[in-house]
Amino acid sequence: MPTPTAIESAIIRWLTSSSQAPAVAHEAWQDGRPAMLRTGNPYDAVRMPLTLVHAAAGSRAPDVVAGVLAEVLDGPVICQPGTWYYALVPPGTCETWRSATALVRGPGAWLGIPRPDRTEPAPVTPYWAVPVEQAGKLCSAAAVAELLRVGRTRLEGTVR
């Protein structure tokens, strides 16, 4: 991993702030693996089914989906190819989330976080569909819920 800029360093510190051993995350990233980090603080993560996200985006093309997610959610989103997208949302979202279409990972859960510059789609390795732009900037839980509602509506073939 190249030497990070000041902004990248702040993002790295923020992403790893839930870890008591951030060096372990750095080592995973150096080896090309996602870092297993706890959710709950400084972020929760909404696990969104790939099918709903693709339906909401109207496409399965990674660049199209990423563009829609960036515009609609305006915050960082991880893609786990073939299965899930994870929108990083404010801590505490797990306490108020009321959607049957997605699960929220909050305090005590673990999430594979790709290194901040891993933004190219890969067949099996998690990557940032929407990269972290600044430390602390998160997706709105309401925007995530609306995206999932749109995806479900499109999959069900109903118009609302």
Side-chain angles (χ1 to χ4, degrees), residues 46-48 89 92-104 140-146 148:
V46 178
R47 187 180 76 179
M48 305 179 293
V89 294
T93 297
C94 64
E95 297 165 12
T96 58
W97 188 258
R98 300 291 175 258
S99 173
T101 58
L103 171 76
V104 178
S140 151
V144 173
E146 178 60 14
L148 293 169

Side-chain angles (χ1 to χ4, degrees), residues 7-79:
I7 292 172
E8 291 165 340
S9 292
I11 289 169
I12 289 167
R13 279 192 308 279
W14 176 71
L15 286 172
T16 61
S17 65
S18 67
S19 176
Q20 293 181 355
V24 174
H26 294 268
E27 184 178 307
W29 289 337
Q30 288 284 25
D31 292 343
R33 296 177 286 119
M36 293 305 296
L37 296 169
R38 286 193 180 270
T39 55
N41 190 25
Y43 43 79
D44 285 355
V46 178
R47 187 180 76 179
M48 305 179 293
L50 191 81
T51 54
L52 290 181
V53 173
H54 289 173
S59 178
R60 292 174 28 183
D63 59 333
V64 173
V65 174
V68 169
L69 292 174
E71 182 179 332
V72 172
L73 300 184
D74 192 33
V77 180
I78 297 167
C79 178

